[in-house]
Amino acid sequence: MIEFRDVTKRFPDGTLAVDDFSLVIPSRQITVLVGSSGSGKTTLMRMINRMVDATSGAVEIDGVNVSTIEPVKLRRSIGYVMQNSGLLPHRRVVDNIATVPILNGTPKAQARERALQLMDTVGLDRSLAERYPAQLSGGQQQRVGVARGLAMDPNILLMDEPFSAVDPIVRDELQQEVLRLQAELARTIVFVSHDIDEAFLLGDQVVVLERGGHIVQKGAPVDILANPATEFVATFIGADRGRRRLVVSDTARPESGDDRVLVDSGGYPVGLISARDGQLAIGSPTPKSRSVSNKTDQAGDA
Amino acid sequence: MILLQALAFILDGQNWVSGPRILYQLGVTLSISAISVLIVVVIATPIGIAIGHTGRGRGVAILLSNVTRALPTLGLLSILIVLIGVNATPVAIVLVLLGIPPMLAGVYAGIESVNRSTIDAARAMGMTEGQIIGRVEIPLAAPLIVGGLRATTLQIVATTTVASAFAFGGFGLYLIKGLNTADYVQMAAGAILVTALCLLIDGLLAVVQRLVAPRGVPRDGADSASPKPRARASRSRATATVSPLQEGMQS
Amino acid sequence: MNWGWIGSNAGLIGTRVLEHVGLSVPPIILGFLLSIPLGYAASRSKAARSVLLTLGNIAYTIPSLALLVLVPIIVGASILNPANVVIGLTVYAVALMVRASADAFSSVPRDVAGSATAVGFSPAQRFIAVELPLAGPVLLAGVRVVSVSTVSLVSVGALIGVDNLGSFFLDAFQRSFFTEAMVGIVAVLFVAAVFDVIITTVGRVLMPWNRRPSASRRTSRVLTA
């Protein structure tokens, strides 16, 4: 568990990036900090591994104040994935992934072997191991970044807008990959995003931030969608307009007859809804969080 | 005509060991140059790394290089020789003074050219500042650092020619002697020798520069994949570093 | 310092300063003018760029004293002709300036140049009205470097018998006379500083849009880059 207690960050130039912020980030879940630029989301995340030190207040990991932990040691125990991957351009893929274990004294051969396994984990072909980052596509680079973040088998993984620079199709793929990995590995993931769709897709807990790190609303995606706390949130998530405000149209699907077409607020078709005998299906399963759904399903099966 | 005679002068093996003793003057030029380059490297490299890594002190370094660019070599030499006397010390002091700015600029521009997000990532994954410098910044900056060394070495070798005017040895001696005795063949030979030496050293260091370039990094800069505004500035700086602009004052 | 010497030689000092200025100005102006078409060509074609910059590098690698000696031998002039100094230093000025000029024209944003074409500028109009002004700040920085280094290099001309402020250095060495060397250095720095003020003033008048602090920062970066 990560806990922020009354954290404030004022940069030397006087900017108040974070103003009296408190939050509990539960273990083994994905928490997404979402907000526009200037909302302090990245600053907040960087306080966890002391890339930024709080001006006042405390950040605790399992009850230990991070300011008591030596930054280098702390950072090596926490995975970090960033936009543009931040890979070392002069090292091969496999060496990039093995960097931190080698810094920590793992024998080179062993670290490289582990790196190859991690390439499997994140869905990278081992034939790419000897390539340099510049020889990979953007999506592949991000996968390497994720593998590197996982190299020390950290309990905590920080992801700073990791997919914002890749094209939409690859982004979808990578997001699904994160969900698959999380189902398998169940880490505490803090994910920063400016994309509300991404936040709703990935987050068990979504924290909507406004300028200065003010929490406007936090909760499961379904709660935020069902009950936006303020006008700002409603606008931000697009609940009052566009493609989240859906209406059942008169049009039925000719072949099945039972399905009705859903349209968005502009009147454009977006999907179908079951309407057996003209009745809308109410009482379907409660919305679940995707990142934990596989796990609970499996647990149910067992 | 004179050029051909000058070439004959150079190609005459006798002239290398006796008479003008080309070999000896080559030795004088190379030894004072090597010592000066070594001193410059020892002084400028750590300072350049500190400036590049912390981003502080850049203004001072720029000021220093602009001032030394404006200082006439000949004037500096004459003042120091008047003060110290005709020996290797004032010459070495001038060579070092003029050699520091290009080396310093090469080192700090090299370190600065490393993509900020690469360094940020290195720090985030738990590298110490020393590891960031040693394993990320220096390898990625190596071509620009050697570029600085290249500019410095040329600057220093070229300046030894001018030092010959003050009764110090080296190839410049042929120029000065030739001028005084209207022996244009000897003058031309001296000019050709020192030019050839400079081109040779430049070529050798250009090869070294290519050899130290980190593999896997596209050649036009240490940061290919970064859309950040910084990348643009650093790339143009990176390409400019081997340029004469950075070499400062010629001698 | 022997202040008396300065007073009794004021006339000589003035003459040397004028000689120095006379030898410095032509290479600076010629270097600037010649580098514009060369730099523009280098910014347009990769092949031209690599050829021109390589030639510039090689020219710049030749030590100045050697160049000053080789120029008369190659062009067949008398060795004591002041034109040798002007030609030699022009070679350096072009070698230095061509890279600055190539960078200057490359720094003109493609889309700005492209949109000028799109709204109907002819290539010549586009060059005069768009590319040259936008390349101005980097060109200005280049000229400042060329000016400072040319003023300093002119003194080497004294070694081949062309009188200028550098002559004080040789005389000071022969007579072991500190004051004279000091006067020479201060005068060279003074000439360089005056030139720099003139060039930046001209730049400010011609490029009023460039009077921002950020622009001067960019300039200083190019100066050292």
Side-chain angles (χ1 to χ4, degrees), chain A residues 23-91:
Chain A
L23 177 72
V24 171
I25 294 174
S27 296
R28 305 195 173 277
Q29 291 191 8
I30 300 181
T31 296
V32 181
L33 305 178
V34 64
S36 331
S37 50
S39 59
K41 54 191 191 299
T42 297
T43 304
L44 283 167
M45 191 181 80
R46 289 163 74 91
M47 286 180 183
I48 297 171
N49 68 348
R50 291 195 65 189
M51 290 293 283
V52 173
D53 277 322
T55 310
S56 67
V59 180
E60 293 178 356
I61 296 176
D62 295 330
V64 180
N65 189 328
V66 293
S67 70
T68 63
I69 308 172
E70 207 269 313
V72 167
K73 187 165 167 266
L74 178 71
R75 289 170 198 160
R76 286 190 193 170
S77 68
I78 296 176
Y80 192 96
V81 185
M82 60 194 284
Q83 196 186 353
N84 299 313
S85 74
L87 298 176
L88 302 181
H90 58 307
R91 295 201 180 173

Side-chain angles (χ1 to χ4, degrees), chain B:
Chain B
M1 197 54 213
I2 291 177
L3 285 178
L4 286 180
Q5 286 172 296
L7 279 178
F9 177 98
I10 295 168
L11 293 175
D12 181 353
Q14 272 304 310
N15 284 341
W16 285 73
V17 286
S18 65
R21 292 197 299 160
I22 296 174
L23 213 54
Y24 171 77
Q25 301 301 1
L26 176 66
V28 171
T29 306
L30 288 183
S31 52
I32 186 103
S33 300
I35 291 168
S36 307
V37 169
L38 198 70
I39 297 174
V40 168
V41 168
V42 168
I43 295 174
T45 312
I47 299 176
I49 289 173
I51 293 174
H53 185 74
T54 61
R56 282 182 216 149
R58 207 160 172 281
V60 178
I62 291 172
L63 191 74
L64 178 84
S65 87
N66 284 349
V67 169
T68 51
R69 203 199 305 275
L71 277 176
T73 316
L74 208 57
L76 218 52
L77 272 167
S78 68
I79 274 203
L80 284 172
I81 289 177
V82 167
L83 291 177
I84 302 174
V86 180
N87 57 54
T89 312
V91 175
I93 291 175
V94 171
L95 295 183
V96 168
L97 275 180
L98 299 180
I100 283 178
M103 184 71 201
L104 197 60
V107 176
Y108 78 65
I111 303 278
E112 278 181 357
S113 77
V114 178
N115 194 334
R116 292 300 108 179
S117 73
T118 303
I119 295 168
D120 193 60
R123 191 169 287 132
M125 71 175 118
M127 284 197 180
T128 62
E129 295 307 301
Q131 285 165 338
I132 291 173
I133 292 171
R135 301 185 190 203
V136 181
E137 290 180 337
I138 290 180
L140 288 173
L144 295 194
I145 294 176
V146 175
L149 179 70
R150 188 174 158 192
T152 286
T153 308
L154 286 177
Q155 172 82 58
I156 284 175
V157 173
T159 308
T160 59
T161 328
V162 176
S164 304
F166 299 99
F168 193 78
F171 287 150
L173 216 55
Y174 302 141
L175 300 174
I176 304 301
K177 270 191 189 162
L179 193 72
N180 291 339
T181 59
D183 180 354
Y184 296 145
V185 173
Q186 194 183 5
M187 265 178 87
I192 292 171
L193 280 169
V194 73
T195 303
L197 180 62
C198 284
L199 290 175
L200 185 72
I201 291 174
D202 190 45
L204 279 176
L205 287 174
V207 172
V208 173
Q209 207 171 358
R210 211 156 283 191
L211 288 179
V212 298
R215 300 188 58 193
V217 183
R219 262 198 71 194
D220 71 351
D223 38 14
S224 66
S226 168
K228 300 204 167 161
R230 187 169 173 106
R232 203 192 150 88
S234 55
R235 190 168 312 146
S236 61
R237 212 180 309 128
T239 38
T241 301
V242 277
S243 83
L245 274 185
Q246 190 250 321
E247 283 168 26
M249 178 174 59
Q250 251 292 3
S251 301

Side-chain angles (χ1 to χ4, degrees), chain A residues 179-190:
Chain A
L179 291 172
R180 186 183 65 74
L181 277 174
Q182 176 64 353
E184 198 177 298
L185 305 170
R187 300 298 145 99
T188 306
I189 297 180
V190 184

Side-chain angles (χ1 to χ4, degrees), chain A residues 141-152:
Chain A
Q141 289 184 18
Q142 287 309 130
R143 284 176 196 263
V144 177
V146 174
R148 184 177 68 179
L150 293 170
M152 283 309 293

